[in-house]
């Protein structure tokens, strides 16, 4: 085994009790997106006492910590973890359960923050072996898909050559990780459609323009058109999640509002979606005499993992844990993740950290009130991240990164 890997593993193992304590502290004090004040102060304290240069209040409640390697010539490797929790009432019954009513770390961002801190603590002790600077980004507000933009606007990606990220995954057992080449998550856009008809008596529909009937035609047309006019090898998912309109049982509705989410993987497909949707809405509405408005708001883009950096994560994890513990994920997710915002500024790769209990039949999914993690995964995450960061500057990788 590489001697540096042995050193990193030893350091991480020694830190394990402290890291579990840190994770439980963060878990029992969850904070919602954009309100991560206590978490940020805690993170800043741990980073400072580990010898990092710390900047607080980055993009509101974000924290940046920097470790200088032996030279600055190697550029900056960013390691991003997110810190926010969800508006969910925890029902795990754990002794370190959330102490905040209605708020829970149900997406594992407490684990991500801990992995980020653990990686910083380990790398701070081997800093003379690093070929460049490591910048830790502790990001707020991932769940509302805004924190990454806040951080980037405040300089988080300035001079960064590459960025690594991690997200827990309950369907992969603890002790293993998943890597994915190419698309990891989808672009997630918001859709609002208004159908404007004309009100009238429910008994005389021919004298009115029924916005409810036309809205239902629009929903049906959109769903059918996906299967007939979108390339089936380039997935598009359009879900209308809210529909509202109408006043009374015997009054024809003059307005209906449809709210939905649109997911896609390919940038070109995504670019065409606003026009594609508007055409369908326009044609249905024109056919039946209604007017319409379509508001298509672009959310976060798809996470597209860089090939070389994914290879770096895969080889670091395979050396650390053997190839049996590294899954190359065959499929992307149509979920969204604002890690993609960093990828507009530098290549990057995010891996999935297995947190499933191997001895349980059910591992509850992310965002579930009983979601739990096998905490042994924290060390898997820290070692994988720290060793990948070290390897980033090793000669066999350097050529590819163009730094
Ligand atoms: Ni998450």
């Amino acid at each position: 085994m590489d001697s540096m890997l042995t050193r990193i593993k030893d350091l991480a193992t020694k830190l394990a009790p402290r890291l579990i304590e840190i994770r439980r502290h963060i878990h029992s004090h969850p904070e919602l997106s954009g309100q991560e004040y206590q978490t940020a102060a805690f993170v800043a304290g741990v980073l400072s006492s580990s010898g990092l240069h710390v900047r607080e209040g980055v993009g509101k409640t974000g924290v940046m910590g920097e470790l200088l390697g032996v030279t600055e010539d190697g550029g900056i490797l960013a390691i991003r973890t997110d810190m926010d929790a969800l508006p969910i009432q925890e029902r795990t019954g754990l002794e370190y359960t959330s102490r905040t009513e209605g708020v829970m770390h149900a997406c594992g961002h407490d684990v991500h923050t801990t992995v980020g801190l653990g990686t910083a603590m380990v790398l701070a002790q081997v800093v003379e072996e690093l070929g460049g600077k490591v910048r830790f980004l502790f990001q707020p507000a991932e769940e509302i898909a805004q924190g990454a933009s806040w951080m980037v606007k405040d300089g988080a990606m300035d001079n960064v050559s590459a960025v690594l990220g991690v997200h827990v995954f309950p369907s992969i057992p603890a002790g293993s990780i998943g890597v994915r080449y190419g698309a990891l998550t989808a672009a997630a856009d918001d859709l609002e459609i208004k159908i404007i008809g004309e009100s009238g008596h429910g008994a005389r529909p021919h004298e009115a323009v029924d916005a409810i009937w036309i809205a239902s035609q629009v929903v049906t047309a959109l769903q059918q058109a996906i299967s007939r006019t979108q390339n089936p090898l380039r997935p598009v998912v359009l879900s209308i999640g809210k529909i509202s309109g109408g006043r009374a049982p015997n009054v024809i509705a003059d307005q209906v509002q449809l709210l939905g989410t649109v997911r896609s993987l390919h940038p070109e497909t995504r670019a065409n979606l606003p026009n594609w949707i508007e055409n369908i809405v326009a044609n249905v509405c024109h056919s039946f005499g209604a007017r319409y408005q379509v508001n298509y708001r672009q959310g976060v883009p798809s996470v597209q993992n860089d090939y070389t950096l994914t290879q770096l994560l895969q080889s670091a994890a395979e050396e650390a844990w053997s190839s049996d513990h590294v899954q190359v994920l065959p499929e992307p997710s149509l979920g969204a993740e604002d890690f993609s915002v960093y990828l507009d500024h530098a290549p990057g790769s995010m891996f999935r950290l297995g947190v499933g209990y191997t001895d349980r039949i059910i591992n509850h999914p992310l965002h579930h009130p009983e979601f739990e993690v096998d905490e042994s995964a924290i060390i898997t995450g820290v070692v994988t991240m720290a060793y990948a960061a070290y390897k980033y500057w090793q000669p066999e990788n350097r050529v590819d990164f163009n730094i």
Side-chain angles (χ1 to χ4, degrees):
M1 196 186 288
D2 184 282
S3 66
M4 192 59 194
L5 176 57
T6 312
R7 238 176 115 189
I8 285 173
K9 276 190 162 182
D10 286 349
L11 288 167
T13 308
K14 281 194 196 109
L15 278 172
R18 170 79 180 122
L19 293 175
I20 287 180
E21 206 177 87
I22 286 175
R23 186 257 158 168
R24 292 183 178 189
H25 172 79
I26 299 172
H27 187 86
S28 57
H29 300 90
E31 293 175 297
L32 291 174
S33 307
Q35 300 169 32
E36 305 87 343
Y37 299 102
Q38 303 300 323
T39 313
F42 178 80
V43 163
V46 175
L47 293 175
S48 300
S49 62
S50 306
L52 279 84
H53 279 271
V54 180
R55 206 182 120 203
E56 293 180 70
V58 183
K60 203 171 174 183
T61 39
V63 182
M64 247 160 67
E66 287 193 338
L67 262 184
L68 205 57
V70 272
T71 160
E72 285 205 49
D73 300 347
I76 301 176
L77 172 68
I79 293 178
R80 177 277 206 168
T81 50
D82 45 12
M83 304 188 291
D84 53 330
L86 285 159
I88 292 175
Q89 179 63 43
E90 180 160 351
R91 286 203 323 246
T92 57
L94 292 164
E95 57 179 297
Y96 54 91
T97 192
S98 168
R99 293 191 198 161
T100 309
E101 187 74 13
V103 185
M104 176 188 178
H105 268 296
C107 198
H109 298 191
D110 51 340
V111 174
H112 306 165
T113 304
T114 309
V115 168
L117 289 173
T119 305
M121 290 154 103
V122 166
L123 290 180
Q125 295 181 66
V126 296
V127 72
E128 73 287 351
E129 303 289 345
L130 303 178
K133 198 191 259 190
V134 186
R135 179 180 294 166
F136 293 89
L137 306 177
F138 290 88
Q139 183 204 304
E142 192 283 327
E143 295 292 355
I144 56 169
Q146 292 188 28
S149 305
W150 297 348
M151 296 280 287
V152 167
K153 278 189 198 125
D154 205 358
M157 289 297 280
D158 292 0
N159 307 314
V160 165
S161 333
V163 55
L164 300 178
V166 57
H167 203 294
V168 299
F169 212 50
S171 57
I172 297 176
S176 291
I177 73 152
V179 294
R180 163 99 189 137
Y181 290 85
L184 179 74
T185 60
D189 301 331
D190 294 328
L191 178 63
E192 181 194 11
I193 301 171
K194 263 190 199 152
I195 310 292
I196 304 148
E198 259 180 59
S199 196
H201 197 296
R204 289 189 290 278
H206 57 288
E207 294 173 0
V209 178
D210 184 351
I212 286 184
W213 168 63
I214 295 166
S216 61
Q217 299 293 319
V218 165
V219 174
T220 307
L222 286 169
Q223 297 305 352
Q224 291 180 341
I226 286 176
S227 90
R228 300 295 86 189
T229 63
Q230 290 292 338
N231 180 347
L233 298 175
R234 298 195 159 188
V236 174
V237 168
L238 187 159
S239 292
I240 299 294
K242 189 174 180 201
I243 174 164
S244 47
R247 296 165 207 278
N250 58 351
V251 177
I252 305 272
D254 62 344
Q255 276 208 27
V256 170
Q257 184 199 45
L258 305 170
L259 296 178
T261 182
V262 187
R263 307 293 171 111
S264 58
L265 290 177
H266 292 262
E268 295 152 46
T269 306
R270 185 192 192 201
N272 291 325
L273 287 173
N275 276 339
W276 176 80
I277 290 169
E278 179 143 2
N279 271 335
I280 292 165
V281 175
N283 285 317
V284 172
C285 286
H286 287 156
S287 306
F288 302 121
R291 288 174 296 131
Y292 67 91
Q293 285 169 10
V294 176
N295 289 319
Y296 189 100
R297 195 184 64 82
Q298 288 214 329
V300 295
S302 162
V303 170
Q304 298 282 336
N305 280 339
D306 175 77
Y307 188 87
T308 314
L309 291 165
T310 307
Q311 228 170 19
L312 171 74
L313 287 168
Q314 183 178 356
S315 67
E318 283 179 350
E319 279 180 59
W321 318 110
S322 95
S323 53
D324 295 348
H325 294 273
V326 182
Q327 303 181 10
V328 177
L329 302 169
E331 289 169 1
S333 147
L334 289 175
E337 163 59 74
D338 76 357
F339 183 69
S340 56
V341 171
Y342 301 102
L343 303 182
D344 283 343
H345 303 269
S349 189
M350 168 177 266
F351 69 94
R352 299 229 187 256
L353 177 64
V355 291
Y357 287 92
T358 46
D359 56 353
R360 291 190 186 176
I361 298 165
I362 296 174
N363 279 291
H364 291 292
L366 298 169
H367 296 208
H368 189 285
E370 291 168 78
F371 170 70
E372 281 185 47
V373 305
D374 178 338
E375 289 174 320
S376 67
I378 291 169
I379 296 306
T380 313
V382 168
V383 172
T384 303
M385 197 64 109
Y387 190 48
Y390 161 76
K391 276 171 68 80
Y392 175 69
W393 286 288
Q394 292 313 292
E396 70 268 22
N397 294 309
R398 278 193 78 111
V399 179
D400 295 318
F401 293 132
N402 208 9
I403 49 180

